[in-house]
Amino acid sequence: MGHTRTAMRTAAVGTAAAVLATGAAFGLTPAAAAAPATATTATAAGDTASATAAAESAGIRFVDIAGDGGTVLKANVLTPANADGTRRHPLIVLPTSWAMPQIEYLAQARALADAGYVVVSYNSRGFWQSGGEIEVAGPPDIADASKVIDWALAHTPADPGRIGMAGVSYGAGISLLAAAHDPRIKAVAALSGWADLIESIYSGRTQHLQAAALLGGAGHLTGRPSAELRHILEGFLSSDLEREQEMIDWGRKRSPAAYIDRINANGAAIMLGNAWGDTIFPPNQYASFYERLTGPKRLELRPGDHATAEATGLFGLPNDTWTSTRRWFDHHLRGVDNGVDREQPVRIKSRTSGGYEGYPDWASVGAREERLPLDRGHAVRTGADSGANGGVVLLSNALDQFLKLPPTVSVPLLPRSYAAVWQSERYATAQRVRGTAKLHTTVTGTASSGTLVAYLYDVGPLGFGKLVSNAPYTFHGRTPGEPFTVDLELFSTAYDVPAGHRLALVVDTADPLYIEHNPAGARLTFSSPPSDPSYLSVPLRAE
């Protein structure tokens, strides 16, 4: 009977989360929630009240917590059913994702509470009904996390020696930053987050347009962006190079990688989870950060796009990422001997095959290298999308995750005046691409600035190419007509190329995902000097 009640509570929490998360997705803004009770807002308020009532009946307490500077943070608290005040329980703090309401984690919080944890989830400042403005994981957000811990230790049976933080996306970044600044945090699960904010949205010195527009738009719909954020975003989207260093400094302050020494000194056990196709926080920057961690650590990479690997778990459904998160906390905060410390710490799942693979470190993932020579020169016109592109933010890689439908292009039909194409021979056996492909080439531009985008395709017998990876690269201040070297890391992935297929590298100069910097009428030439041959390095799994 106890299991039945637990299942019913979890279902009720999942329903409440679904109602309010759907409201967030369709633009139910804080302003709308506070608007006069018209028929529409009254209905929305009624739905929210019903969801809140369902959550409260499931044993959830809604509270206000004073964050940094007294800013009110809207929060909810769950405690174990057997909490009677005679003993302390491990604490999990969950900051919400960007633009999500405070009930985002209720299904997982209920499951954690049923397992013996005190769980406090709070709406990050500037969003929904929490006070303040959106600081993008700035110092006030980091201080808020410590204030929430202080509150939990004073108002719940939380154990000061067993504190963890977790979150998806924005909550992941805040959790990692908090672990650098608050030594009380002993374990972190950072899911679909970032370690280097600039490397995430400005990789290859190229603005990730759709990602930035999505984040900016969602922030305006569901919160109150600070003047600093509006200033940075305006300069970013307008390609104001005079403000580039200001933007980089702003991003560095908000990057856990900048505080790696503090994180290592504090010794928190860090679990990182991400998706291969994350179009907001690509996996490369997480993998590099993982390699620099010296304490207990784990890296898990799966198919999908931003936060899609964790999404089903937010509705209380079975989910590998949340199962791993629970095991991580059970071992590091509850002392459960569940074997997580004896498993291979790097755990990945290919986009094309079903099982998980374990590795001792990130370098072992693509232990074998194949170099494809790029010995034919190409000259391309700029400023037009050749048809090769990385898809649509959130949508394309989610289709790849659930339906095995990545962005596809007919390689023979790509216009060679706008796309440079190199292809391998057909492979007699399957090629298991694992890790980070790297392009090395020589470029000559007719203008001082320019953008190129590299794509790696799996090409079948009929010439249709399925996207394996891509990455942009932008240059400024080059002398027109003077060759220069380009070294570009494509976004990390795990993909199995079937026997009888070939790999193709396509390079063009425009992609809807990115802002391009090619002046009208410019051309780019790709060459392979004998003294410095061009190549594509493809990482393969050791067989």
Side-chain angles (χ1 to χ4, degrees), residues 437-458:
K438 300 175 183 178
L439 169 64
H440 175 82
T441 189
T442 296
V443 176
T444 305
T446 59
S448 60
S449 294
T451 296
L452 61 93
V453 186
Y455 309 89
L456 182 62
Y457 284 101
D458 160 26

Side-chain angles (χ1 to χ4, degrees), residues 312-332:
T312 56
L314 295 177
F315 294 92
L317 300 174
N319 181 276
D320 288 355
T321 305
W322 287 105
T323 297
S324 291
T325 296
R326 180 96 56 82
R327 294 182 67 230
W328 189 251
F329 285 138
D330 282 349
H331 179 74
H332 291 286

Side-chain angles (χ1 to χ4, degrees), residues 62-346:
F62 291 89
V63 299
D64 290 350
I65 297 176
D68 184 50
T71 297
V72 173
L73 305 175
K74 295 293 183 177
N76 56 73
V77 184
L78 293 94
T79 55
N82 62 352
D84 56 10
T86 62
R87 63 191 180 94
R88 295 282 182 173
H89 299 265
L91 168 67
I92 303 293
V93 174
L94 302 168
T96 55
S97 302
W98 187 271
M100 291 297 288
Q102 63 153 309
I103 51 75
E104 175 187 9
Y105 300 114
L106 286 187
Q108 290 301 322
R110 177 74 271 169
L112 286 165
D114 288 340
Y117 294 90
V118 173
V119 186
V120 180
S121 176
Y122 70 95
N123 227 147
S124 304
R125 69 166 51 222
F127 286 105
W128 294 83
Q129 279 71 40
S130 281
E133 296 180 327
I134 302 172
E135 303 287 348
V136 195
D141 292 296
I142 301 169
D144 283 347
S146 293
K147 292 290 187 180
V148 171
I149 292 172
D150 293 341
W151 184 93
L153 295 178
H155 296 89
T156 74
D159 186 342
R162 295 184 292 168
I163 298 172
M165 285 192 69
V168 175
S169 185
Y170 195 45
I174 291 174
S175 295
L176 286 173
L177 287 162
H181 292 81
D182 194 329
R184 296 176 296 180
I185 299 168
K186 303 303 181 186
V188 170
L191 313 176
S192 289
W194 76 91
D196 188 325
L197 189 56
I198 297 302
E199 185 61 25
S200 295
I201 63 173
Y202 194 55
S203 69
R205 207 179 177 187
T206 308
Q207 299 100 318
H208 293 209
L209 173 61
Q210 291 186 16
L214 177 65
L215 292 173
H220 278 85
L221 280 173
T222 61
R224 299 165 299 281
S226 67
E228 182 183 31
L229 172 56
R230 293 195 301 271
H231 173 75
I232 290 294
L233 192 59
E234 190 276 330
F236 181 83
L237 293 176
S238 66
S239 303
D240 187 346
L241 287 177
E242 292 185 358
R243 289 155 62 178
E244 181 182 38
Q245 190 59 49
E246 177 188 11
M247 183 267 294
I248 290 173
D249 293 341
W250 175 87
R252 183 178 295 114
K253 184 187 297 185
R254 290 159 171 80
S255 296
Y259 307 97
I260 187 71
D261 291 343
R262 292 190 193 180
I263 293 174
N264 287 335
N266 289 342
I270 306 293
M271 172 182 153
L272 306 172
N274 205 355
W276 292 119
D278 194 321
T279 44
I280 296 180
F281 302 130
N284 302 47
Q285 44 93 33
Y286 246 17
S288 299
F289 179 71
Y290 170 83
E291 288 289 82
R292 297 173 61 196
L293 291 169
T294 58
K297 59 183 179 178
R298 187 177 181 92
L299 175 65
E300 298 190 352
L301 296 169
R302 299 176 174 85
D305 206 309
H306 183 65
T308 62
E310 300 85 21
T312 56
L314 295 177
F315 294 92
L317 300 174
N319 181 276
D320 288 355
T321 305
W322 287 105
T323 297
S324 291
T325 296
R326 180 96 56 82
R327 294 182 67 230
W328 189 251
F329 285 138
D330 282 349
H331 179 74
H332 291 286
L333 297 181
R334 294 178 59 221
V336 176
D337 185 12
N338 56 17
V340 73
D341 57 323
R342 296 187 294 275
E343 296 169 356
Q344 298 275 40
V346 176

Side-chain angles (χ1 to χ4, degrees), residues 5-15 58 106-107 110-111 114 315-316:
R5 284 196 296 268
T6 298
M8 292 176 65
R9 286 198 303 269
T10 301
V13 169
T15 301
L106 286 187
R110 177 74 271 169
D114 288 340
F315 294 92

